[in-house]
């Protein structure tokens, strides 16, 4: 069974992900090149095109020799570590480092990587698979429960002394039996669905094509999905097709009892239209982790009781950052296990690879779970 | 229920009040009387009052029951009966009903919602955005919820519903109860301290009795520790509140999500400045759907009693 390809690019707008990895320290780590200029055989060389935190440097250099772009060895190095939010992998880059046979990205999204070009040149690509999905799904569910049960608002009410002076907070809305419409049933959308089922929600989804392995009701048209949903959760990747996928028609179809949760990208929603709908009371409420022009948030929302606003937080747990390091290292290990330095290697060169999330600490299993998938052309 | 006098202890759901009135009941609104003269109010109207509708904050204690010699039934608008003097009711032959099952889902939903909200700091993050602080820099990392061990104090209806939800997040489940239950996938601990030592998120989901008063005490809080999170959707007196506040303020406990407090609606204001707590005003069953279902149970029980039919959800 293949890992679902989930190119949801998860990065903070205006802030590249590598910066969050460099919370302390910067620089590309130490290289332990031996005196004849070649890296030790037990620590294959990895070209690194982003700045690394101390946690990254020490984890990576324990098993690999870190090659900075400035090194003369960069053009003979076969594996590279990039971040989807920092680096573009295209012909230019692949020409610059002609020995590359393996690209490992710290992102889930692969939209800044020219997969066709990689395939043509026999370069394998590995992302972090579903590593971020659980944290993002948890956050989506947290925002949804908050929107229905008014947690943030009633917490604020309580801290402002109003439970004492005004009495009970107005009633919220029960989750059980509510119809949830998931926009994009990739890894994140599926994780959200699995969680919300346990709360008794009824799950339907929209994507460009139905997912044969999904147990949920497929709705081929987003307006239909909105019409039949009490809450829409946006969890697809951002592409030309999904830009403003939540627009005026969808908001109208969702209706004035409807709620929207967005943990995708700000640009998934026509934000001025959303604000207008909220101001006019045409939808019931929202939980938003992303905005069209972060860190700016439409100021009308600050006055509203029925919105929850969070600063693009869904993916940022220390556990996720640590998992990403582990899985990238496991990807490199899998590549080098099949492609020992000094051999011609066994690159398949036709498909790109998504690595499975390994059990914590169990990195040796990655070689077995080195999945190959046909590059799917749908990104939702 | 023509002309039957019903004492309502708290401001009721409008639907409940309308339905009682529609069925011909005479309503006596105890919550409108000043606190110091409530017993007086009861005595003055005792000839007419044959039923009491209480809730989780205002039940029927011994003094109230004594002031109402004609009471035959107490239909509580809650599942918890810690505020009803059950011993007195048994002595007097007064029937007591509650509202089980209909609120189980809402309370379990809230428990998980609070856990995510505390660990991912959602209200604090919302405040961060609204204050304009996001323009100056990103918010901090927040702790993952998925996969963390959830320890449940009390594996009754609500405890099981919490476990089922937590399992969808791949959380291993452990629990404490007086006796072990037939759930082989859940790890049993025979003391609350053992449970707290072995979980990341401790949820209070048992009934409030003399035995479970302050079941979460200093020892349990210490065992839960600086990375542990306490979620209380039970009753305020389940937790030694002053110990809890001290532990949170001093950083000896990782965080707390609290729906209930020892002296509602008063909440220790030392908690108000903390980012690692979420405080909500006893909203466990506070949805329009559930409160309506609870009202229907109260009405159904009252009607059954006065028509000499079997009660729907009797406890005494």
């Amino acid at each position: 069974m293949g890992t679902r390809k989930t190119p949801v690019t998860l990065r903070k707008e205006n802030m590249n992900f590598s910066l969050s990895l460099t919370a302390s320290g910067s620089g590309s780590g130490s290289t332990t090149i031996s005196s004849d200029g070649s890296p030790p055989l037990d620590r294959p060389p990895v070209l690194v095109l982003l700045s690394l935190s101390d946690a990254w440097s020490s984890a990576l250099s324990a098993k690999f020799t870190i090659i900075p772009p400035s090194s003369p060895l960069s053009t003979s190095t076969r594996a590279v570590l990039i971040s989807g939010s920092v680096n573009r992998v295209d012909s230019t880059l692949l020409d610059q480092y002609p020995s590359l046979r393996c690209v490992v990205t710290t992102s889930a999204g692969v939209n800044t990587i020219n997969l066709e070009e990689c395939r043509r040149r026999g370069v394998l690509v590995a992302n972090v698979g579903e590593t971020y999905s659980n944290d993002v799904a948890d956050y989506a569910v947290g925002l949804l429960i908050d929107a229905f049960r008014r947690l943030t608002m009633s917490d604020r009410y309580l801290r402002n002394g109003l439970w004492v002076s005004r009495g009970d907070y107005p009633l919220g809305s029960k989750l059980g039996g509510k119809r949830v419409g998931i926009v994009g049933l990739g890894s994140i959308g599926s994780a959200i669905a699995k969680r919300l089922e346990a709360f008794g929600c009824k799950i339907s989804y929209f994507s460009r094509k139905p997912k044969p392995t999904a147990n949920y009701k497929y709705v081929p048209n987003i307006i239909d999905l909105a019409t039949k949903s009490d809450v829409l959760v946006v969890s697809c990747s951002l592409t030309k097709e999904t830009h403003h996928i939540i627009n005026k028609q969808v908001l109208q179809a969702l209706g004035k009892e409807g709620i929207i949760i967005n943990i995708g990208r700000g640009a998934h929603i026509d934000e001025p239209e959303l604000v207008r709908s909220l101001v006019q009371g045409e939808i019931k409420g929202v939980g938003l982790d992303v905005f069209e022009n972060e860190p700016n948030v439409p100021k009308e929302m600050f006055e509203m009781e029925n919105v929850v606003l969070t600063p693009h937080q869904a993916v940022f747990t220390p556990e996720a950052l640590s998992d990403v390091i582990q899985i990238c290292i496991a990807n490199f290990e899998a590549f080098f296990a099949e492609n020992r330095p000094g051999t011609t290697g066994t690159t398949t060169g036709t498909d790109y690879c998504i690595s499975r999330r390994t059990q914590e600490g169990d990195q040796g299993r990655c070689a077995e779970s080195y999945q190959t998938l046909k590059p799917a052309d749908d990104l939702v | 229920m023509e002309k039957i006098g019903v004492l309502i202890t708290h401001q009721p759901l409008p639907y409940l009040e309308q339905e009682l009135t529609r069925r011909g009941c005479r309503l006596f609104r105890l919550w409108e009387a000043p606190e110091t003269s409530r017993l007086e109010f009861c005595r003055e109207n005792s000839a007419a009052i044959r039923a009491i509708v209480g809730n989780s904050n205002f039940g029927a204690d011994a003094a109230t029951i004594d002031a109402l010699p004609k009471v035959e039934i107490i239909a509580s608008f809650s599942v918890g009966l810690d505020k009803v003097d059950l011993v007195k009711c048994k002595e007097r032959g007064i029937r007591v009903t509650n509202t089980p099952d209909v609120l189980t889902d809402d309370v379990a939903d809230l428990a998980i919602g609070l856990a995510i909200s505390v660990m991912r700091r959602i209200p604090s993050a919302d405040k961060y955005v609204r204050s304009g602080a996001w323009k100056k820099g990103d918010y901090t990392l927040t702790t993952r919820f998925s996969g963390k061990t959830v320890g449940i104090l009390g594996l009754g209806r609500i405890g099981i519903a919490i476990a089922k939800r937590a399992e969808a997040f791949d959380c291993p489940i452990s629990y404490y109860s007086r006796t072990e239950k037939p759930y082989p996938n859940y790890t049993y601990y025979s003391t609350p301290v053992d449970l707290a030592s072995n979980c990341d998120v401790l949820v209070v989901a048992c009934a409030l009795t003399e035995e479970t008063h302050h079941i979460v005490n200093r020892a349990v809080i210490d065992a839960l520790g600086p990375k542990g999170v306490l979620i209380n959707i039970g009753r305020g007196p389940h937790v030694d509140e002053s110990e809890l506040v001290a532990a949170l303020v001093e950083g000896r406990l990782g965080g707390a999500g609290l729906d209930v407090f020892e002296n509602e609606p008063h909440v220790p204001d030392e908690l108000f400045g903390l980012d690692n707590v979420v405080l909500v005003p006893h909203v466990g069953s506070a949805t329009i759907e559930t409160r309506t279902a609870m009202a229907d149970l109260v009405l159904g029980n009252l009607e059954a009693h006065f028509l000499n039919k079997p009660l729907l959800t009797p406890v005494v």
Side-chain angles (χ1 to χ4, degrees), chain B residues 43-296:
Chain B
R43 280 184 219 112
E44 279 168 10
N45 297 293
S46 60
I49 294 174
R50 292 171 64 190
I52 302 176
V53 174
N55 76 346
S56 55
N57 277 325
F58 299 111
D61 59 11
T64 306
I65 295 171
D66 279 340
L68 298 167
K70 295 253 170 89
V71 163
E72 301 162 29
I73 178 168
I74 299 175
S76 190
F77 192 78
S78 70
V79 67
L81 290 171
D82 43 283
K83 291 275 168 74
V84 177
D85 192 325
L86 297 174
V87 170
K88 190 107 223 173
C89 290
K90 283 190 188 114
E91 276 169 19
R92 280 264 307 264
I94 296 174
R95 306 303 307 276
V96 179
T97 67
N98 63 351
T99 60
D101 298 319
V102 294
L103 48 65
T104 300
D105 286 337
D106 266 0
V107 177
D109 292 349
L110 181 65
I112 301 293
L114 281 173
I116 300 174
S117 192
V118 173
M119 291 171 84
R120 302 304 306 271
R121 306 220 178 167
I122 292 178
S124 174
D126 175 281
K127 185 169 147 191
Y128 191 83
V129 172
R130 285 179 205 247
S131 71
W134 194 16
K135 299 202 188 188
K136 305 198 190 103
D138 286 315
Y139 197 70
T140 63
L141 299 179
T142 55
T143 310
R144 170 180 290 171
F145 174 64
S146 272
K148 296 291 162 67
T149 301
V150 172
I152 306 175
L153 281 171
L155 208 64
R157 287 173 290 242
I158 293 175
I160 289 291
I162 293 170
K164 179 183 140 213
R165 283 152 177 75
E167 284 185 298
F169 295 80
D170 295 325
C171 296
I173 307 294
S174 48
Y175 69 101
Y176 160 79
S177 61
R178 281 170 305 182
T179 56
E180 201 169 342
K181 309 260 175 172
Y183 293 100
N185 284 347
Y186 302 166
T187 306
Y188 175 69
Y189 288 95
S190 55
T191 70
V193 167
D194 278 347
L195 178 65
S197 305
N198 289 288
C199 69
D200 301 305
V201 181
L202 183 67
V203 185
V204 183
C206 51
L208 182 64
T209 63
E210 271 167 26
E211 292 84 23
T212 62
H213 181 266
H214 283 194
I215 190 173
V216 178
N217 55 14
R218 170 77 190 241
V220 168
I221 292 169
D222 284 346
L224 194 48
K227 296 210 164 115
V229 170
L230 177 71
I231 303 296
N232 191 3
I233 44 78
R235 286 288 179 267
H238 276 127
V239 175
D240 183 337
E241 199 160 275
S242 54
E243 285 289 354
L244 175 67
V245 171
L248 286 165
V249 165
E250 292 163 25
R252 291 183 283 110
L253 180 64
L258 307 172
D259 185 41
V260 286
F261 306 88
E262 289 209 85
N263 185 23
E264 295 172 18
H266 300 284
V267 177
D269 55 20
E270 298 96 309
L271 299 177
F272 291 178
L274 300 179
D275 285 329
N276 58 341
V277 307
V278 177
L279 310 165
V280 291
H282 204 147
V283 295
S285 63
T287 65
I288 187 74
E289 296 91 337
T290 293
R291 291 284 168 88
T292 304
M294 288 163 70
D296 284 339

Side-chain angles (χ1 to χ4, degrees), chain A residues 290-316:
Chain A
V290 287
F291 304 87
E292 287 211 85
N293 184 25
E294 295 172 13
N296 300 298
V297 172
K299 59 181 175 0
E300 297 91 322
M301 288 188 169
F302 292 167
E303 309 305 313
M304 295 176 187
E305 276 279 300
N306 56 341
V307 311
V308 187
L309 310 166
T310 54
H312 205 146
Q313 276 295 102
V315 69
F316 286 99

Side-chain angles (χ1 to χ4, degrees), chain A residues 38-327:
Chain A
S38 62
L41 280 177
D42 64 338
R43 291 222 252 130
V46 168
L47 175 63
V48 174
L49 296 182
L50 65 165
S51 3
L52 296 179
S53 64
D54 291 346
W56 258 108
S57 295
S58 57
L60 201 57
S61 55
K63 302 200 168 175
F64 306 100
T65 307
I66 297 175
I67 307 291
S70 53
S71 161
L73 295 170
S74 65
T75 50
S76 58
T77 304
R78 294 186 299 147
V80 64
L81 179 71
I82 60 144
S83 159
S85 55
V86 175
N87 311 105
R88 287 205 88 74
V89 176
D90 52 13
S91 307
T92 310
L93 188 121
L94 294 170
D95 286 340
Q96 197 178 352
Y97 305 108
S99 300
L100 287 182
R101 288 292 167 273
C102 174
V103 172
V104 172
T105 172
T106 62
S107 306
V110 292
N111 54 319
T112 54
I113 298 176
N114 188 333
L115 298 171
E116 256 314 307
E117 193 56 33
C118 288
R119 194 191 346 234
R120 200 179 65 74
R121 297 178 191 227
V123 175
L124 296 166
V125 177
N127 70 352
V128 297
E130 300 179 340
T131 303
Y132 294 121
S133 301
N134 287 336
D135 287 323
V136 178
D138 290 355
Y139 213 83
V141 173
L143 285 175
L144 189 149
I145 298 177
D146 197 314
F148 274 88
R149 300 296 298 273
R150 316 287 204 89
L151 301 187
T152 289
M153 291 307 135
S154 60
D155 173 287
R156 205 160 72 183
Y157 180 87
L158 189 157
R159 288 186 210 227
N160 285 338
L162 298 175
W163 194 19
V164 175
S165 57
R166 270 195 217 166
D168 285 336
Y169 193 77
L171 297 178
S173 184
K174 184 182 164 113
L175 261 74
K178 291 295 185 301
R179 303 163 301 168
V180 176
I182 298 185
V183 182
L185 200 74
S187 174
I188 294 174
S190 302
I192 293 170
K194 173 182 161 201
R195 284 151 175 73
L196 289 177
E197 272 193 310
F199 294 80
C201 295
K202 305 194 176 94
I203 314 289
S204 307
Y205 70 101
F206 164 75
S207 60
R208 281 201 324 208
K209 294 191 290 237
K211 312 272 171 174
T213 49
N215 253 349
Y216 312 112
K217 181 165 168 24
Y218 174 66
V219 180
N221 172 313
I222 193 168
I223 304 284
D224 274 352
L225 185 73
T227 307
K228 296 175 187 157
S229 296
D230 301 304
V231 51
L232 287 179
V233 182
V234 183
S235 57
C236 53
S237 59
L238 183 63
T239 64
K240 284 201 271 288
E241 290 83 15
T242 63
H243 181 268
H244 283 195
I245 193 171
I246 307 294
N247 58 15
K248 184 182 175 118
Q249 287 72 34
V250 171
L251 292 169
Q252 276 176 353
L254 183 62
K256 67 183 189 52
E257 292 301 308
I259 289 177
I260 297 185
I261 304 298
N262 191 5
I263 44 78
R265 283 289 174 274
H268 278 127
I269 300 184
D270 179 343
E271 199 163 273
E273 187 56 42
L274 177 69
V275 172
R276 198 201 58 76
S277 296
L278 283 164
V279 167
Q280 302 293 334
E282 288 167 12
I283 65 164
K284 189 162 160 191
V286 296
L288 305 174
D289 188 46
V290 287
F291 304 87
E292 287 211 85
N293 184 25
E294 295 172 13
N296 300 298
V297 172
K299 59 181 175 0
E300 297 91 322
M301 288 188 169
F302 292 167
E303 309 305 313
M304 295 176 187
E305 276 279 300
N306 56 341
V307 311
V308 187
L309 310 166
T310 54
H312 205 146
Q313 276 295 102
V315 69
F316 286 99
T317 67
E319 293 94 337
L321 298 193
S322 157
D323 285 350
V324 163
I325 294 178
Q326 283 196 24
I327 200 163

Side-chain angles (χ1 to χ4, degrees), chain A residues 355-367:
Chain A
S355 55
R356 292 296 309 269
R357 180 168 183 218
T358 60
Q359 301 299 324
E360 265 180 50
D362 194 9
Q363 292 162 14
R365 282 185 49 204
C366 188

